[in-house]
Amino acid sequence: MSAEQLVATADDRKQPETAPEAASRQQTAMFLDAGDSQRIRLQPFPVLWRHEQKDQLQHAIDSLDRVYEEGFAQSGAILRGLNGKDVLSLIQLSPQAISDESSFGAVAMPNRYHVERVDHRTGNSHTAIGQGTVPFYCVVTFKLTPGKQNELLASFERALAHVRKQPGYISTSLLLSQDGRMAVQIGQFENRQHFRASLRQRKAIGVLAHGVFRRMKASFCGVWPKLPRIRLYEQAHAVAPKEPYSPNI
């Protein structure tokens, strides 16, 4: 199934949001800030069959809420995969959790990331997950060859020049793992319709094809051991920092 077909299927499932739900969502957000020393735990929850996604999604939400109440999470968000087989958890670890992990020598765990770069349409170095209208997410996961991060950053900057021009574009965030072996790119659009429109543009298709060629070449040249994995998501749950968020603009 194509990316556009996945978006269309999700549109059919979407139910109108009530006013109380919208008001609650606007006050609940996780923030990704490239100007802050955040440590993000990014954990995929595997789903073998589509009918199991609902249970796995609830498990991810319960896990986030539990570590949030226990003080190990400063904020967090859960994303639901549009293919019915993905659930993604993003948790901003609290200073307490970071201190505890450091004492156990767990600084470079594979699923621990820092926010390397955030490109936002406002020019800010931060973005929100779960605030305002529910955006559409495109998440690209890269497996990196150690010492090749500069090549990834250069590719990221080239892609931004085109992505910024797309209608409905909100932001693109780049997260790098603490062990230097993984990178995750999180793109946000205002809604599925804008993302679908961008897929139809000839120039967008050309940039995507050129990007795929670059990634294949990079894989063969040892920059990325495997081709990047692309997944489409919608926001399902979020918890906000308990203290008022003060972005590093």
Side-chain angles (χ1 to χ4, degrees), residues 27 43 64-65 73 87 126 145 169 176 194 197 205 207 228 231 240 247:
Q27 299 172 3
Q43 180 180 359
L64 169 57
D65 289 346
V87 175
H126 64 275
T145 298
Y169 171 75
L176 298 180
H194 280 129
I205 294 173
V207 170
R231 293 290 186 270

Side-chain angles (χ1 to χ4, degrees), residues 70-131:
E70 292 174 351
F72 292 100
Q74 192 159 329
S75 64
I78 304 296
L79 304 182
R80 178 196 297 111
L82 298 185
N83 64 353
K85 292 187 177 182
D86 286 272
V87 175
L88 186 64
S89 169
L90 296 95
I91 296 177
Q92 180 191 355
L93 299 179
S94 67
Q96 175 188 347
I98 295 174
S99 176
D100 290 347
E101 288 191 349
S102 298
S103 66
F104 287 107
V107 177
M109 294 181 67
N111 62 343
R112 289 343 186 232
Y113 291 76
H114 68 271
V115 183
E116 177 70 22
R117 174 78 191 278
V118 174
D119 178 82
H120 198 278
R121 62 186 178 187
T122 63
N124 292 334
S125 63
H126 64 275
T127 191
I129 298 179
Q131 185 176 16

Side-chain angles (χ1 to χ4, degrees), residues 7 9 30 39 60 65 98 149 155 191 216 241-242:
V7 177
T9 301
M30 173 190 186
R39 187 178 298 174
D65 289 346
I98 295 174
Q149 290 186 2
S155 177
N191 52 51
M216 290 178 66
K242 295 178 180 180

